[in-house]
Amino acid sequence: MTQHTDFYTRLDTLQQRVAAAKAAVQAAAAESDEQLKQRIDRAQAHLDESAQSARQQLSQVDDSARAKWTQLRADASAKLNDVKANIERRNRQMDAKVAAKDADWAEADSAEALDFADWAVENAELAMLDAIHARAYADKLAKAAGNS
């Protein structure tokens, strides 16, 4: 399998994950508090599995990429801890105004996460284009060296 094919496969998988996330968010809008908590717990478990997988993959990349991924994962972990703390805090709140402000904050935080996801997709696109160019250039040089 060529690297290009791997890119296509991973992009297809990402597209499926986005569709699943969209469906989950749409379904969550009609769920009870308990169902939402269960959904959040499942999402947390999935994120933990993804983080473990990423840690295994990090052992195979250079130090610069490893540092970037480590920071991204740390940020994601901190965000998750914030979400759990917010849920616990909400359960203790009885004031409607405070709860409304908390909802505003959570919605703004979601918008930031979507902005980050958008940036990550653009960053991945640039990285894949660079990888395709680098491979084509390397192949061109190898072919030229073979012909000389």
Side-chain angles (χ1 to χ4, degrees), residues 11 15 17-18 24-25 35 46 70 91 93 110 124 128 140:
L11 285 167
Q15 187 174 25
R17 289 178 63 198
V18 169
V25 169
Q35 289 170 316
H46 187 263
T70 299
N91 289 336
Q93 291 176 347
S110 295
M128 287 182 284
K140 178 182 172 183

Side-chain angles (χ1 to χ4, degrees), residues 37-95:
K37 288 177 185 175
Q38 290 173 1
R39 185 179 292 277
I40 289 168
D41 287 344
R42 286 190 306 269
Q44 167 66 50
H46 187 263
L47 184 60
D48 289 345
E49 290 171 10
S50 296
Q52 178 61 32
S53 174
R55 279 192 289 276
Q56 291 171 349
Q57 292 172 359
L58 278 179
S59 64
Q60 301 171 6
V61 298
D62 66 36
D63 290 339
S64 172
R66 185 176 297 119
K68 287 178 188 177
W69 275 109
T70 299
Q71 184 60 49
L72 287 173
R73 293 296 179 186
D75 291 347
S77 179
K79 178 58 62 189
L80 179 61
N81 289 336
D82 288 347
V83 168
K84 286 192 168 202
N86 289 337
I87 290 170
E88 290 174 14
R89 187 181 72 246
R90 272 186 221 118
N91 289 336
R92 293 188 304 267
Q93 291 176 347
M94 301 306 274
D95 183 293

Side-chain angles (χ1 to χ4, degrees), residues 2 4 16 21 25 27 34 36 41 57-58 60 69 86 88 92 96 104 109 112 115-116 123 132 140 146 148:
T2 67
H4 300 71
Q16 291 168 2
V25 169
E34 186 58 35
L36 283 171
D41 287 344
Q57 292 172 359
L58 278 179
Q60 301 171 6
W69 275 109
N86 289 337
E88 290 174 14
R92 293 188 304 267
D104 291 342
D109 193 45
E112 284 182 28
D115 289 344
F116 177 77
N123 188 53
I132 290 167
K140 178 182 172 183
S148 22

Side-chain angles (χ1 to χ4, degrees), residues 98 119 144:
V98 173
W119 170 86

